[in-house]
Amino acid sequence: MTQYTVDALTQALEAAARAFIASLDGGTQPKVTAPRSLDAGTPIKFDPLYDEPPLPFKVKGTHEESLMSTVIYLGAIGRVNAEKRRGANAQEVSTYAKKAGYGRGNDVNGWNLRKGVSKEGSAITVVDGLRYLHAGTHEWVRDLASQLNIEIVGDFTPLPIPATS
């Protein structure tokens, strides 16, 4: 029998509660405000799937605002991959793109083509219409979040990307 830690069980219960509330609300995610750090040395905990962004963000804003948009969008795609054990679908991509400040869901298609973000040659791979964040991109997003004094919470484990069809 597998032994689970209290933290793992708590995260699972929180995810289940959010999914339950979302289903009652017609599929919309509950709005949860990420706790702000009172001490500059303590990172702000942020779950890109469920929390409101803790810092100002804008796709084409200041350096910090642009970083925050990237953490919101790519963080959410990585969280979908890890939490749901699959790629993010078009509806999820649209939802999290808009949450990150992109005008339309398809405005983020460039992330599929950006070179140099990860050793795989792009930030995201699309397989059968589902988006998967590369392992190297996970590390990059964590680095960006760290620059903003943010800690991404929730499962953010890279998911193996299936072979393209």
Side-chain angles (χ1 to χ4, degrees):
M1 179 172 174
T2 304
Q3 296 293 319
Y4 296 99
T5 66
V6 171
D7 286 342
L9 292 171
T10 300
Q11 285 181 350
L13 285 170
E14 287 174 355
R18 285 192 289 259
F20 178 73
I21 291 167
S23 70
L24 292 175
D25 290 340
T28 60
Q29 296 295 336
K31 301 292 185 197
V32 180
T33 302
R36 286 190 151 282
S37 170
L38 298 177
D39 175 355
T42 303
I44 300 165
K45 297 191 181 297
F46 173 59
D47 184 338
L49 281 185
Y50 303 108
D51 296 342
E52 288 297 312
L55 301 173
F57 62 96
K58 194 173 186 183
V59 175
K60 294 184 180 181
T62 66
H63 178 69
E64 289 78 15
E65 290 170 335
S66 180
L67 288 181
M68 190 67 226
S69 283
T70 299
V71 169
I72 294 166
Y73 175 65
L74 293 179
I77 299 305
R79 286 277 294 115
V80 167
N81 293 168
E83 188 171 288
K84 298 188 179 185
R85 308 299 304 158
R86 63 165 172 76
N89 63 38
Q91 179 60 47
E92 290 161 331
V93 167
S94 178
T95 297
Y96 296 114
K98 290 174 185 171
K99 180 177 180 177
Y102 291 90
R104 301 170 305 165
N106 63 355
D107 288 346
V108 294
N109 286 342
W111 281 111
N112 307 344
L113 307 171
R114 280 199 193 164
K115 301 289 183 198
V117 173
S118 72
K119 60 187 172 216
E120 292 85 359
S122 65
I124 294 174
T125 289
V126 181
V127 179
D128 295 331
L130 299 176
R131 277 114 176 127
Y132 296 86
L133 211 65
H134 290 283
T137 306
H138 278 78
E139 294 170 23
W140 183 66
V141 171
R142 283 191 193 279
D143 286 345
L144 296 180
S146 178
Q147 290 176 41
L148 296 168
N149 198 31
I150 289 175
E151 177 187 343
I152 295 175
V153 295
D155 190 359
F156 195 62
T157 308
L159 185 66
I161 299 173
T164 56
S165 343

